[in-house]
Amino acid sequence: MEMPKKPFTNRRIGDILIEQGLITPQQLKEALELQKKGNKKRLGEIFVETGVITREELYEVLQYVYETEYVDLSNYVIDPEVISFISKETALQFKLIPISKNDDELIIAMANPLDIYAIDFIRDHTNVKKIKSLLASEEDVLNAITNYYELGEYDDIIEKLGTEVVFKEEEEDEDSKKLEAISREAPIIQLVNMLIVQGVKDRASDIHIEPNEKGLLVRFRIDGMLHDIKTLPNTIKSAIISRIKILAKMDIAERRLPQDGRFQVKFGTREVDLRVSTIPTVFGEKVVLRLLDKSKGLIKLEQLGFIPEQLEEFKSIIFKSYGIVLLTGPTGSGKTTTLYAALNEVNYRDKNIITVEDPVEYKLDRINQIQIKPKINLTFANTLRSILRQDPDIIMVGEIRDAETAKIAVQAALTGHLVFSTLHTNDAASALTRLIDMDVETFLISSSVIAVIAQRLVRVICEKCKEEYIPGKDVLSGLNIKGNLKKGGKIKLYRGTGCSFCKNTGYYGRTSIYELIVLDEEIRSLIISKASSSAIKDAAIKKGMKTLKDSGLEKAMQGITTIEEMLRVAG
């Protein structure tokens, strides 16, 4: 639908809908007759209810009428602290709800964003200087008021439920219907929303919901470490898990097989993508939600954690015309973030860049991104073959999982393409022998691979409670620390004592450590002779490669991380 540049604020909605060709004069007349007969709904809602127009068409027009944007509250997760700015009575009176706060501006969703009296009332009864009103459907606003006000604590919500759902094999269909109904009730919605809100606020990368004999254990992975958060009672575990499965568009009746799904929520100005995975255990289904905060944007190469000489070397590699650059490390080590940063660095207008990913985590401008779908045979290997007919300059393959994908990637590199990809190995040298294990010919590996980078994530010392200390001689000798002496030959290291800011962990945030092998003639010869990964690693070290441990130690000496964290990750 093509809308005029100027809004229609002084015109009737019916006339605008006619002008846009969405309704006829006769349909407008019939809707007005329905209002006269007692239908108290607004004209737009009547047109949607009678199937004349879709809700999307209605709100596209209303955005122009109200000179504001439309917000879908069903995708919003609102912080309880924001809700507290406006009382429930006021929210019901004016049919509005606060959804986020930015500095001195409160953002509210309203059924009528032009209600100046309501906006002035809120401004007068809160300490907020600026009010920004967005358009939302009246039904969504009223549902949100029901779901968010009088939340209380976890225990209060659990007490409101008071319903036990017990599955019996012979009544499975009936139970599924009952369970779906309970999963859509306000207390369950509130409980799941609270878990997501707390996870986002605590910077969790994953939310684990694990059934056991005692109940449902909720754990958050924060800065790479799991923390116990809450144990919910067994009586509501099925309803909680089903609520999450409904959000992720998964089959709530299927509890015997693993499932995957995803959904998005908005948390204030932040858009969070949640990937959901379920597996059956002896105590019921375990659910893991991976949280991806899309509002954070891309990290630049300089922010990743490369030490200066590694960064300079890596930058020179990613601007090569052809060859394979491999990133290695376990799941959750930050490989995808590094790949995205590299692609963003080389993303020039004269380049055709195509990626094959599972999943696509960030949308990148001027880069053609493909989400693989194994169910329809859209695999890494099949997609990679098609990509080569699309005249690419740079290709990113999310992961080399099998011999077929490895061989196609090698052929792509040998025919003039720059290829980025990842492998799951413990260090950089092992990636080269892993390709040999995949039956890729050694001469093809040596001709195509130009560099391998291994990486890990280490926790950063909390700046609020950071302190210096002098380590014992046994620590220094064990780590072979000889340089960087300070004040009378004493080496100073750093640690976090723990505070409320870092939740008494001593750490806040993470950074990367790397080891980088750039292939030269000697290493290529070792590959062709099928030398071991340790032999390749030794050769790289002799040429000046810093290992993961070396990189971690350097960050510990700089006061970025601790010796204990470095040893935990790379020791």
Side-chain angles (χ1 to χ4, degrees):
M1 190 193 320
E2 198 170 313
M3 304 296 297
K5 292 181 180 179
K6 290 186 179 180
F8 307 102
T9 48
N10 296 321
R11 298 172 57 201
R12 296 184 301 176
I13 184 70
D15 295 334
I16 299 167
L17 290 170
I18 290 173
E19 184 178 300
Q20 292 299 307
L22 293 172
I23 65 169
T24 64
Q26 179 60 32
Q27 287 170 328
L28 173 59
K29 183 179 178 181
E30 290 170 359
L32 290 170
E33 287 295 325
L34 286 173
Q35 281 187 328
K36 288 179 182 178
K37 290 178 181 179
N39 191 326
K40 295 182 180 180
K41 291 186 177 180
R42 297 181 182 184
L43 274 178
E45 290 296 329
I46 292 175
F47 289 130
V48 172
E49 191 178 74
T50 54
V52 175
I53 61 174
T54 66
R55 188 168 296 277
E56 290 73 20
E57 289 171 332
L58 171 63
Y59 280 98
E60 191 172 345
V61 170
L62 288 177
Q63 287 181 88
Y64 283 85
V65 173
Y66 292 127
E67 299 184 66
T68 187
E69 63 182 278
Y70 169 71
V71 57
D72 183 358
L73 291 180
S74 64
N75 291 331
Y76 248 86
V77 174
I78 308 172
D79 189 339
E81 291 180 13
V82 174
I83 291 291
S84 65
F85 277 91
I86 297 173
S87 69
K88 183 179 180 181
E89 291 71 23
T90 301
L92 286 170
Q93 179 185 351
F94 297 115
K95 294 184 176 60
L96 57 82
I97 189 166
I99 58 175
S100 65
K101 186 176 183 298
N102 302 321
D103 299 324
D104 60 347
E105 181 180 62
L106 182 66
I107 300 171
I108 58 175
M110 305 176 66
N112 179 10
L114 295 183
D115 189 341
I116 304 300
Y117 175 74
I119 293 171
D120 287 342
F121 182 89
I122 292 166
R123 188 183 290 110
D124 292 341
H125 288 78
T126 63
N127 294 321
V128 181
K129 297 178 182 178
K130 297 179 183 176
I131 305 292
K132 180 180 180 181
S133 60
L134 304 179
L135 170 66
S137 75
E138 184 174 317
E139 182 182 0
D140 281 356
V141 170
L142 293 175
N143 284 338
I145 291 171
T146 301
N147 291 338
Y148 282 101
Y149 279 95
E150 298 177 9
L151 264 177
E153 299 297 326
Y154 284 106
D155 293 340
D156 298 332
I157 298 173
I158 291 165
E159 190 177 340
K160 286 180 190 176
L161 284 163
T163 305
E164 182 173 358
V165 180
V166 181
F167 288 106
K168 297 176 183 177
E169 291 298 323
E170 64 273 14
E171 298 175 357
E172 187 169 322
D173 291 340
E174 182 182 340
D175 280 337
S176 294
K177 292 176 183 177
K178 178 182 177 184
L179 185 56
E180 181 172 358
I182 293 170
S183 302
R184 296 183 186 276
E185 289 181 359
I188 285 294
I189 294 172
Q190 291 171 357
L191 201 54
V192 172
N193 284 348
M194 284 179 74
L195 289 174
I196 295 172
V197 167
Q198 190 176 347
V200 173
K201 290 175 74 174
D202 288 353
R203 302 178 299 109
S205 61
D206 302 85
I207 299 175
H208 290 240
I209 300 174
E210 306 172 354
N212 55 39
E213 287 181 303
K214 296 179 180 178
L216 204 61
L217 176 62
V218 179
R219 300 199 288 170
F220 291 172
R221 188 176 293 279
I222 303 170
D223 294 334
M225 305 293 285
L226 279 170
H227 301 268
D228 290 0
I229 301 298
K230 187 78 180 173
T231 298
L232 302 173
N234 265 321
T235 54
I236 64 167
K237 90 179 166 188
S238 297
I240 290 288
I241 292 169
S242 294
R243 174 61 189 167
I244 294 169
K245 290 169 78 172
I246 287 170
L247 288 170
K249 295 180 173 58
M250 296 157 72
D251 183 0
I252 69 166
E254 180 55 76
R255 299 182 291 276
R256 301 163 299 172
L257 296 173
Q259 292 189 68
D260 294 294
R262 65 192 304 168
F263 64 98
Q264 286 186 343
V265 299
K266 287 188 176 180
F267 182 77
T269 57
R270 298 154 71 178
E271 190 175 283
V272 181
D273 191 21
L274 292 98
R275 301 203 301 267
V276 183
S277 171
T278 67
I279 56 169
T281 73
V282 292
F283 294 110
E285 286 182 288
K286 175 186 174 181
V287 181
V288 175
L289 297 89
R290 168 67 57 89
L291 278 63
L292 180 67
D293 189 346
K294 293 189 172 184
S295 62
K296 288 182 178 177
L298 289 177
I299 297 177
K300 294 184 178 179
L301 282 178
E302 291 78 9
Q303 300 171 303
L304 289 174
F306 284 106
I307 56 181
E309 54 265 39
Q310 287 177 332
L311 180 60
E312 186 178 344
E313 204 164 20
F314 185 60
K315 279 189 172 182
S316 68
I317 290 163
I318 63 176
F319 282 99
K320 299 280 188 185
S321 299
Y322 60 89
I324 298 179
V325 179
L326 289 173
L327 269 81
T328 77
T331 301
S333 59
K335 300 186 297 296
T336 303
T337 301
T338 301
L339 279 177
Y340 277 145
L343 286 177
N344 203 42
E345 188 79 13
V346 299
N347 186 11
Y348 288 98
R349 293 183 184 276
D350 61 346
K351 299 291 184 185
N352 177 20
I353 303 175
I354 305 178
T355 74
V356 194
E357 305 174 59
D358 184 26
V360 174
E361 294 191 2
Y362 291 100
K363 305 294 191 300
L364 304 174
D365 291 337
R366 293 202 313 275
I367 292 181
N368 307 285
Q369 297 171 270
I370 302 168
Q371 167 73 55
I372 72 160
K373 297 175 182 177
K375 289 182 180 178
I376 59 171
N377 207 30
L378 188 67
T379 62
F380 280 118
N382 290 341
T383 308
L384 194 49
R385 283 196 195 90
S386 300
I387 283 175
L388 294 177
R389 296 192 287 270
Q390 289 281 318
D391 186 33
D393 298 294
I394 299 170
I395 301 168
M396 193 267 270
V397 183
E399 184 184 342
I400 293 177
R401 295 178 179 174
D402 52 53
E404 188 179 11
T405 306
K407 289 172 182 176
I408 299 170
V410 166
Q411 289 300 327
L414 292 174
T415 52
H417 306 91
L418 183 63
V419 181
F420 294 100
S421 193
T422 69
L423 275 174
H424 287 284
T425 59
N426 289 326
D427 59 14
S430 298
L432 299 167
T433 55
R434 178 81 181 98
L435 290 176
I436 296 173
D437 293 339
M438 288 181 169
D439 293 327
V440 181
E441 295 290 346
T442 55
F443 72 91
L444 293 177
I445 299 170
S446 65
S447 301
S448 60
V449 179
I450 55 177
V452 186
I453 304 101
Q455 76 175 90
R456 297 288 190 279
L457 291 173
V458 294
R459 290 180 291 172
V460 174
I461 300 171
C462 174
E463 288 295 331
K464 303 286 186 183
C465 59
K466 186 175 181 178
E467 68 170 13
E468 290 182 342
Y469 75 99
I470 298 172
K473 291 181 180 179
D474 54 336
V475 174
L476 299 179
S477 60
L479 294 169
N480 196 24
I481 298 175
K482 296 177 182 177
N484 298 322
L485 295 180
K486 300 177 182 178
K487 293 184 181 179
K490 299 289 185 183
I491 290 180
K492 289 188 176 181
L493 296 176
Y494 300 84
R495 62 191 172 200
T497 58
C499 63
S500 58
F501 183 70
C502 62
K503 298 189 181 297
N504 294 311
T505 62
Y507 300 96
Y508 192 92
R510 289 190 290 177
T511 189
S512 300
I513 56 174
Y514 295 91
E515 65 180 31
L516 170 59
I517 295 179
V518 179
L519 273 66
D520 60 10
E521 289 306 314
E522 182 182 350
I523 292 175
R524 294 183 197 280
S525 298
L526 288 170
I527 293 169
I528 291 173
S529 64
K530 295 188 177 181
S532 66
S533 60
S534 58
I536 295 172
K537 185 173 184 176
D538 289 342
I541 290 171
K542 286 177 184 177
K543 294 177 181 297
M545 180 191 81
K546 286 187 179 291
T547 65
L548 288 168
K549 189 172 181 179
D550 294 334
S551 298
L553 186 57
E554 187 160 329
K555 281 189 164 48
M557 299 296 292
Q558 293 170 352
I560 297 170
T561 191
T562 63
I563 291 293
E564 292 79 12
E565 179 67 3
M566 180 275 290
L567 290 173
R568 181 185 71 84
V569 172

